[in-house]
Amino acid sequence: MNRFRFPRAIAGNLAVGLLLLAGAGLLLRLHLGEDWWLAAPLPPRRWFALAALLAYTAWCAALWWRSRPRGDDSGDSGVPPLLVAWASQTGFAQQLAERTAQGLRDGGRRVRVRALDQVDATLLAGTREALFVASTTGEGDPPDHALAFLGQVMRQPLALPELRYAVLALGDRSYGHYCAFGHQLDDWLRRHGAQPLFDTVDVDNADPAALRHWQQLLGQLGDGSVQADWSAPDYQPWVLRRRRQLNPGSVGGPVFHLRLQPADGDLPAWQAGDIAEIGPRHAAATVERWMQVHGLDRQATLADGRALCDVLAASKLPDAIDSADADAVASTLQALPHREYSIASLPSEGSLQLLLRRQAHPDGTPGLASGWLCDHAAIGERIDLRLRANANFHPPADDAPLVLVGNGTGIAGLRAHLRARIDAGARRNWLLFGERNRAHDFHFGEELEQWWREGWIEHLDTVFSRDGGPHRYVQDALAAQAGRLRQWVDDGATLLVCGSLQGMAPAVDAVIARALGDERKDQLVMQRRYRRDVY
């Protein structure tokens, strides 16, 4: 028989509350006598004593409330809550940690929030997923309160093979040791066996683009529900010039190749590895149905002249509204969150190219952003777009060897890198790419094979899981070439991995660790010779 267990947090709170009330009653009895409550009316001195004692009780309760461990979500699932730990000197990291926790709760996750000095070895060893929001102060120093974690936890020989984690590192690039404490924390976790959920996100002076990227990554840890951006991107108007499906007949989801250009002016500058942030929109039919259900005029305009339907198209559609006035409705709306896509081209090619797979909900309806870009946006229509520099995935500075590993639409970011290498005259390039069927899913295949024949790609290893070759996945092909991988790393190669966070990226990481050893792999990370763009 399952027995009901009263939640510990509630039991503890009730116990403390009862103790405080009992203490207050005892103090009143000592000060006012056993029958103080029978006196009517109470003399002024007794009113004064009563008020003072109640104030004292409230003050004690407030001290206890502020000092208690905060941010635990109740639940008896047997799986520990996801830990969000923060190290903050000015309070900004704590604010971001609380926002992070709330976003995860909105996505259905149970969360435990702690200051880093409240995290001990036992808590860390019993946690399965953890996010660290870590500030760096001065010349690479941790926040003051984090020193206890460094002295008491980071000096212990912990084994954390069950822990999956990520770090949001806050810093100021004008200092010599940029985001040093966040990187120190990441390095310590790796060396003790913890596995990164995704790569450390560096934030320079509260850069909103980096924080939006962090928020996008958080969506992978929840139920995928739509959440508003913490800070809306400053989009520029672009125009969709071309859209073509690359994989008709594929057993996988449809993949589309898009070309976009600015609505006005020349192409801006970007580098291989950079990201396009897209502002999605609802389909016109979706907005029209919503307006009809809520009794709104489809021709309604706002006081500033904008059409209400246009504003709704770029906003989360609420379940209910309190007024049919267009401006009142618009004032309550939240902008749709952005979506990020690796850029597959360089400015020298005349357009910004994207490669994306149409995502589908369980009921078969397309995802918000992919549905907009793949189905609903008309050729020639405006697309809200913002470029984001992705310094962690920029090309190496020289013509040293480059190993590129990816699967699916991850070939987009790798194709831009190959184009940049060709433009720079660098030929020592090794590409490993995996998909389902060669006949349908070899994205950019003709171009890649031409570059291989011309000598721009020294080794081209392709793996198609449904075709029955010697290797099923791209990580298998890499494992079979462990000797070549070691030789290329000895020759100074940089490793770039682009594609799915689930499955491919951790499997490739494990192959690299086996081929090179954990210590050497970690050295590559610290030398920025092993970089990933995974999603």
Side-chain angles (χ1 to χ4, degrees):
M1 177 183 295
N2 292 328
R3 296 185 178 182
F4 173 76
R5 292 189 295 174
F6 203 64
R8 294 179 183 176
I10 296 177
N13 289 349
L14 286 176
V16 172
L18 290 172
L19 286 172
L20 289 170
L21 289 174
L26 178 60
L27 288 171
L28 287 170
R29 180 175 177 179
L30 290 173
H31 280 264
L32 304 181
E34 189 170 347
D35 59 347
W36 67 272
W37 56 279
L38 295 175
L42 286 176
R45 66 180 183 84
R46 292 194 173 187
W47 277 116
F48 178 79
L50 175 61
L53 288 169
L54 289 176
Y56 175 76
T57 302
W59 178 72
C60 292
L63 287 179
W64 166 79
W65 183 258
R66 290 183 62 185
S67 63
R68 82 198 193 288
R70 301 175 62 187
D72 283 8
D73 290 351
S74 61
D76 254 341
S77 66
V79 178
L82 185 150
L83 173 64
V84 178
W86 53 269
S88 184
Q89 191 72 14
T90 64
F92 183 54
Q94 181 181 1
Q95 294 175 17
L96 293 179
E98 290 169 352
R99 279 189 168 188
T100 294
Q102 188 56 52
L104 292 168
R105 291 184 181 112
D106 292 343
R109 295 298 305 270
R110 293 172 49 239
V111 181
R112 168 188 288 145
V113 182
R114 290 287 189 273
L116 194 58
D117 57 312
Q118 295 176 339
V119 177
D120 58 21
T122 302
L123 174 59
L124 201 58
T127 298
R128 294 297 169 262
E129 290 184 323
L131 302 176
F132 297 88
V133 184
S135 292
T136 296
T137 67
E139 291 295 340
D141 299 322
D144 294 340
H145 74 96
L147 293 173
F149 182 83
L150 269 74
Q152 299 171 12
V153 180
M154 292 180 68
R155 292 180 181 175
Q156 297 187 40
L158 294 180
L160 302 171
E162 303 297 324
L163 178 64
R164 301 170 71 223
Y165 75 95
V167 177
L168 182 68
L170 311 181
D172 184 338
R173 199 176 292 275
S174 65
Y175 286 85
H177 301 280
Y178 173 56
C179 292
F181 178 58
H183 293 161
Q184 179 185 0
L185 188 58
D186 174 56
D187 177 57
W188 180 81
L189 288 163
R190 286 176 185 265
R191 285 190 287 104
H192 288 77
Q195 300 297 315
L197 289 159
F198 38 81
D199 292 343
T200 295
V201 176
D202 292 348
V203 183
D204 180 21
N205 275 321
D207 175 28
L211 294 177
R212 285 194 301 273
H213 179 53
W214 173 257
Q215 189 181 9
Q216 170 110 348
L217 293 170
L218 294 179
Q220 302 170 11
L221 305 179
D223 61 5
S225 58
V226 175
Q227 300 176 28
D229 286 325
W230 295 343
S231 61
D234 181 18
Y235 296 121
Q236 289 80 47
W238 289 62
V239 175
L240 179 60
R241 295 299 186 193
R242 185 182 178 189
R243 177 174 56 215
R244 180 170 66 96
Q245 185 179 350
L246 295 187
N247 65 337
S250 172
V251 295
V255 171
F256 290 84
H257 181 213
L258 280 62
R259 294 180 184 267
L260 303 100
Q261 292 178 321
D264 301 300
D266 298 329
L267 281 171
W270 70 82
Q271 295 187 56
D274 284 347
I275 299 294
E277 296 182 351
I278 299 289
R281 297 173 71 86
H282 296 292
T286 301
V287 175
E288 186 174 337
R289 285 195 300 269
W290 186 90
M291 296 183 76
Q292 185 176 9
V293 167
H294 292 86
L296 296 174
D297 181 1
R298 288 177 293 175
Q299 307 301 320
T301 59
L302 307 183
D304 59 11
R306 291 178 297 161
L308 177 60
C309 62
D310 287 342
V311 178
L312 288 167
S315 305
K316 294 177 64 176
L317 299 178
D319 295 331
I321 57 175
D322 297 327
S323 170
D325 177 75
D327 286 282
V329 172
S331 68
T332 65
L333 298 176
Q334 287 185 328
L336 288 171
H338 78 286
R339 290 294 185 268
E340 298 182 353
Y341 299 99
S342 300
I343 302 174
S345 61
L346 298 181
S348 59
E349 298 179 272
S351 65
L352 185 148
Q353 300 178 37
L354 302 178
L355 189 71
L356 63 147
R357 191 183 306 273
R358 182 202 289 139
Q359 302 297 325
H361 297 299
D363 62 0
T365 58
L368 176 64
S370 64
W372 163 244
L373 291 172
C374 297
D375 297 332
H376 305 308
I379 302 301
E381 189 165 353
R382 167 179 167 155
I383 303 293
D384 289 332
L385 187 149
R386 179 186 184 275
L387 298 177
R388 179 174 67 80
N390 185 18
N392 187 58
F393 207 62
H394 280 170
D398 51 32
D399 62 352
L402 184 64
V403 181
L404 304 112
V405 185
N407 70 333
T409 55
I411 192 62
L414 303 183
R415 189 247 174 222
H417 276 286
L418 286 168
R419 182 70 262 176
R421 296 279 285 183
I422 292 171
D423 291 348
R427 291 181 175 270
R428 288 212 66 189
N429 304 304
W430 174 15
L431 173 65
L432 301 101
F433 170 69
E435 248 285 8
R436 290 177 174 84
N437 298 109
R438 184 184 186 90
H440 302 289
D441 305 305
F442 194 6
H443 315 311
F444 303 121
E446 292 183 3
E447 182 179 51
L448 294 173
E449 289 187 323
Q450 180 181 341
W451 289 346
W452 171 67
R453 288 192 298 268
E454 294 173 350
W456 294 111
I457 300 177
E458 186 171 324
H459 299 286
L460 177 59
D461 292 320
T462 56
V463 179
F464 297 97
S465 60
R466 305 294 180 91
D467 287 353
H471 308 303
R472 181 159 189 180
Y473 299 115
V474 68
Q475 57 265 28
D476 301 327
L478 183 62
Q481 299 289 346
R484 183 193 296 167
L485 176 62
R486 286 190 290 269
Q487 184 60 58
W488 277 54
V489 170
D490 289 343
D491 294 343
T494 293
L495 282 58
L496 299 181
V497 179
C498 190
S500 57
L501 175 65
Q502 303 298 329
M504 186 277 293
V508 167
D509 186 77
V511 169
I512 293 172
R514 288 197 299 270
L516 305 179
D518 289 325
E519 184 175 351
R520 195 169 189 195
K521 186 197 78 170
D522 292 341
Q523 287 176 349
L524 291 180
V525 172
M526 290 184 285
Q527 295 167 357
R528 301 183 63 80
R529 290 174 52 200
Y530 174 26
R531 314 179 197 175
R532 306 191 304 173
D533 180 15
V534 295
Y535 45 85

